[in-house]
Amino acid sequence: LIQLPATAFANINTEVTLSLWQNGDPLAQPRNDTIFGGGSTVGRELMAHLPWGNSVVYWDAFGNFDRISRAAAVSEFAGGWNHWTFTKDRLSGVMNIYLNGSLWHTGGGQTRLYTPVNRFYLGANLGGVEFYAGAIDEFRAANVERSPDWIWASWITVASNDTFTCYGVVEQPGELPIPNNMAAITETKNGVVTFFGWSRSVIIFHPWNSVNDAGRVGGCQA
């Protein structure tokens, strides 16, 4: 369970993209838990079950809340690494879920307004419970709806390698207690806020290059 700073989501307005790599515990999944959860004064704003105990993936966004959902195969959420991306554009009313770079599910008519998040948990719901059973890597958040090409590039950059690949110089801001503790590090470029979570076995943080972000990865694995 990691609590991320609510201020990092302050620039979200009509669009959002959240993405991550996950590897569910095959001995525990599917079960009733939450991979991330953000809440506001009106309730649920950004939350996903990946999956719930019925093997359904739920993506909830804005205003307590618009929802799309679809049943998933076990191989899509447990026993191996998969890349998931969740988007919403309130003006178009479209919410999407991408799996491993390809559109996996979509829904229309989703026009609830965003209320600023005042709490956000990675690995739990907006109340800080329903802990996720599995591993999470490369969590990112943006205040725009990423294009299908951008999402595919983010996936293939990692998927085409046996291990996570570092592009450029890896930097560790300040004196971070790595890997014994987790720190919430954010980088903002051109209005985009990106989080860098823990890599499979080693926590490594580095700044994001938004000029060439379509081909880069936000973290590395040693």
Side-chain angles (χ1 to χ4, degrees):
L1 165 66
I2 302 170
Q3 184 169 9
L4 301 178
T7 53
F9 299 88
N11 290 331
I12 295 174
N13 186 6
T14 61
E15 301 179 21
V16 67
T17 301
L18 304 176
S19 65
L20 53 81
W21 285 84
Q22 61 81 225
N23 186 350
D25 182 351
L27 299 180
Q29 297 289 1
R31 71 172 197 167
N32 292 349
D33 63 18
T34 305
I35 199 159
F36 62 78
S40 69
T41 56
V42 303
R44 191 177 303 186
E45 293 296 328
L46 302 166
M47 198 162 96
H49 303 298
L50 213 176
W52 197 241
N54 57 2
S55 294
V56 174
V57 174
Y58 295 93
W59 162 222
D60 302 334
F62 295 10
N64 197 43
F65 48 89
D66 286 326
R67 163 176 283 183
I68 60 174
S69 62
R70 175 184 158 181
V74 172
S75 61
E76 293 174 326
F77 59 75
W81 287 96
N82 287 290
H83 184 258
W84 293 85
T85 303
F86 304 87
T87 72
K88 179 176 180 177
D89 180 344
R90 183 185 66 78
L91 298 182
S92 69
V94 175
M95 291 173 62
N96 293 318
I97 303 174
Y98 294 80
L99 172 60
N100 295 330
S102 298
L103 183 63
W104 185 74
H105 188 52
T106 189
Q110 315 294 320
T111 58
R112 286 179 180 263
L113 297 173
Y114 177 72
T115 302
V117 161
N118 57 24
R119 59 201 184 278
F120 192 98
Y121 296 96
L122 187 60
N125 70 5
L126 68 162
V129 294
E130 295 177 355
F131 304 118
Y132 177 69
I136 303 171
D137 196 6
E138 297 279 321
F139 179 78
R140 305 173 186 172
N143 63 352
V144 296
E145 181 187 23
R146 293 299 193 187
S147 70
D149 286 345
W150 192 98
I151 293 167
W152 179 87
S154 297
W155 163 72
I156 197 63
T157 303
V158 175
S160 61
N161 296 280
D162 292 334
T163 59
F164 275 31
T165 302
C166 302
Y167 291 82
V169 178
V170 175
E171 301 178 15
Q172 295 180 187
E175 296 295 323
L176 295 179
I178 297 174
N180 297 322
N181 193 14
M182 169 57 70
I185 304 298
T186 64
E187 179 77 8
T188 304
K189 293 288 182 65
N190 296 337
V192 177
V193 177
T194 303
F195 294 97
F196 303 99
W198 60 93
S199 268
R200 313 273 170 87
S201 57
V202 178
I203 303 168
I204 300 178
F205 302 97
H206 68 81
W208 182 253
N209 178 0
S210 62
V211 176
N212 190 33
D213 60 2
R216 292 179 52 117
V217 191
C220 314
Q221 179 180 354

